[in-house]
Each structure stands twice: as C-alpha cells, then as structure tokens.
Amino acid sequence: MRRLVALTFLALLAACSKPAGGSTSTSSQSSTTVTTAAAPAGSACDHKLVTVADMAGFFKGTPTMGPLPGDPQSCIFSDGDDSITVSIRPGLGTISVKEVLSGATNVQATPVTGVGEQASWTPILHEISATKNNVLCNIGTDGAPGFSPTQQQFGDLCNKIFGRM
C-alpha cells in the first residue's frame, strides 16, 4: 500500500511539474520550442527490457509476467506467493529520485551508488528508484514477509534495463 501511495505521489508530482505536450521558452533574442518526450507505448516487459529469465533468481518457483492493471508502464512478475513490480517511466527519473531522497514521499530512503546516474533504496518498501537520462527505473516487492531482494540485486537489474535501452 505504501508503495502505491509513493508511486501515486511521484506520478502526481511529475504531472504538476511539467507542461503537457511540451513548453515554449521565449527570450528577447530568440524563440525556442522544447518538447517533452512521450513515453513509449507498453511496459518494460513489452519492450523486452526485463524478462522472466532476468527475474528467475528472485523467486522460489518459476515466475510469470503480466501487466499491472491501470499502469501501462509497469509489469508484475510473480510465482504465486511473491511478486515484484518493474516500472520504467521516461521523463520522470531525475525528479522522482530527488523527491524520494529528499523525504518528500514520507518514507526513509538512502542513496545508492553505482546504479544509473542516481538512485535511492527504500528499505521499508524493498524498493529501488534509479534514473539514467531522466528515465525512472522503479523496482519493488509486494512486501511479503521473508521475501526481500536486496538493493544490490534490484540495482543490478536497473543497470541491466538501462543497458538495454
């Protein structure tokens, strides 16, 4: 539930922090149009940025992969007992990681080195948020007792995803 609240907060923050469809900046010497990149249709799973084979080591059984209802940029891997959600959000990486590290999401997070350009680990949620080229890689568990992949494992997975982009 906390993960859903944090993701909702980040999505609302990002929606409020950038103009829809691009922005126009005008100075006295020139006029420049800057457009924001649209997120590609489909999830990281649809684009083969992360696969069942990448996730197999996290689960006791063979995981299945499926969409996260209502969120076309996320997918869920599950073995029936535990689950991991992977979200890739173009244009939201820098602000999202900054907000998590600042405490704005009301959960304690620590910086993680060696993952993307900047990353955070939220131990209570077993969740990593990382950014590279302003693309957010967010990976977290369902929080089931006894199922707690490490920040290193999730960080390695974000780096693998960034490498495939």
Side-chain angles (χ1 to χ4, degrees):
M1 181 64 179
R2 290 182 202 173
R3 177 173 160 43
L4 180 59
V5 170
L7 284 174
T8 302
F9 173 79
L10 291 174
L12 290 173
L13 177 69
C16 292
S17 66
K18 68 178 185 178
S23 64
T24 303
S25 172
T26 306
S27 69
S28 60
Q29 295 184 9
S30 67
S31 176
T32 305
T33 300
V34 178
T35 58
T36 55
S43 69
C45 299
D46 295 335
H47 293 285
K48 308 288 189 255
L49 297 175
V50 62
T51 66
V52 170
D54 295 326
M55 304 302 286
F58 292 105
F59 297 96
K60 294 176 221 134
T62 302
T64 60
M65 174 180 70
L68 178 63
D71 184 352
Q73 293 177 319
S74 298
C75 54
I76 298 175
F77 294 87
S78 177
D79 67 355
D81 292 321
D82 301 305
S83 67
I84 295 175
T85 302
V86 178
S87 304
I88 304 298
R89 303 187 191 287
L92 298 178
T94 304
I95 187 70
S96 297
V97 174
K98 178 182 173 188
E99 292 298 308
V100 171
L101 288 172
S102 75
T105 58
N106 292 324
V107 292
Q108 184 179 12
T110 57
V112 177
T113 58
V115 181
E117 297 163 349
Q118 185 178 28
S120 65
W121 174 251
T122 308
I124 195 166
L125 301 176
H126 302 286
E127 179 178 273
I128 196 160
S129 297
T131 184
K132 184 172 181 181
N133 298 323
N134 201 24
V135 174
L136 175 66
C137 172
N138 184 272
I139 303 173
T141 69
D142 61 1
F147 182 66
S148 53
T150 67
Q151 73 180 29
Q152 181 67 47
Q153 290 172 307
F154 280 174
D156 290 347
L157 187 55
C158 276
N159 280 335
K160 185 180 282 189
I161 291 168
F162 288 143
R164 291 175 177 167
M165 296 176 80

